[in-house]
Amino acid sequence: MSEDVVGIFDADGNQLLPEGRPIKAEVKLTAKVMEHPLESGASVADHKVTLPIELDVTLVVVDEATRDAYRKLRDVFNQKETVTVQTRADVYESMTIEAMPHDETADAIGALPIVVKFREVVFVETQFQPLPAK
């Protein structure tokens, strides 16, 4: 019996697509380095901003489970739920589905490859305070 190395889990810890076979996971940890030009023509970097984590997970779903699996993914996408993605290297929480493109070709009869693009999200709760009277 095979065991998945990559898994997508809902808020309750249930595997979202047990019928899907993850065949590839691309993790993008990136940052933006702030550079400023000097009068001499050189530049100095003084700050780094870490960008949200992005993941591209390629899944293959076999024919009899294709519609159900696609509907589950589409429901998570439409409901704006966050999921947890586990890879061999790490666990990425608070991920949302940013895109889920797929190609339906005659070459892949019997299977549907789907590339699910995840992006880390951080929800902030806005707080309001009344201003004092002038």
Side-chain angles (χ1 to χ4, degrees):
M1 177 160 179
S2 66
E3 187 175 310
D4 290 337
V5 176
V6 176
I8 304 166
F9 300 92
D10 65 13
D12 299 324
N14 302 313
Q15 190 169 0
L16 195 62
L17 292 170
E19 61 277 352
R21 296 279 63 96
I23 58 172
K24 181 181 175 185
E26 182 183 346
V27 181
K28 299 173 194 159
L29 297 170
T30 57
K32 200 177 263 190
V33 177
M34 303 301 164
E35 293 186 41
H36 309 284
L38 300 176
E39 289 181 14
S40 66
S43 64
V44 62
D46 63 354
H47 187 65
K48 180 173 96 170
V49 176
T50 303
L51 299 175
I53 297 168
E54 294 180 3
L55 288 162
D56 292 351
V57 177
T58 304
L59 299 165
V60 174
V61 183
V62 294
D63 207 18
E64 56 272 359
T66 301
R67 287 184 187 266
D68 289 338
Y70 189 77
R71 282 188 188 120
K72 282 183 199 175
L73 278 174
R74 192 179 60 210
D75 288 346
V76 171
F77 175 79
N78 289 333
Q79 294 170 7
K80 300 169 185 72
E81 293 179 30
T82 60
V83 297
T84 300
V85 180
Q86 176 181 320
T87 66
R88 188 177 294 143
D90 208 346
V91 176
Y92 304 96
E93 297 179 343
S94 192
M95 304 298 287
T96 189
I97 298 176
E98 185 174 47
M100 39 188 270
H102 67 280
D103 289 327
E104 297 186 26
T105 64
D107 297 341
I109 292 179
L112 177 67
I114 306 171
V115 179
V116 186
K117 297 179 179 281
F118 295 96
R119 185 176 175 98
E120 180 183 32
V121 292
V122 178
F123 294 106
V124 178
E125 191 170 314
T126 307
Q127 297 179 359
F128 296 97
Q129 279 184 297
L131 293 173
K134 288 186 177 181

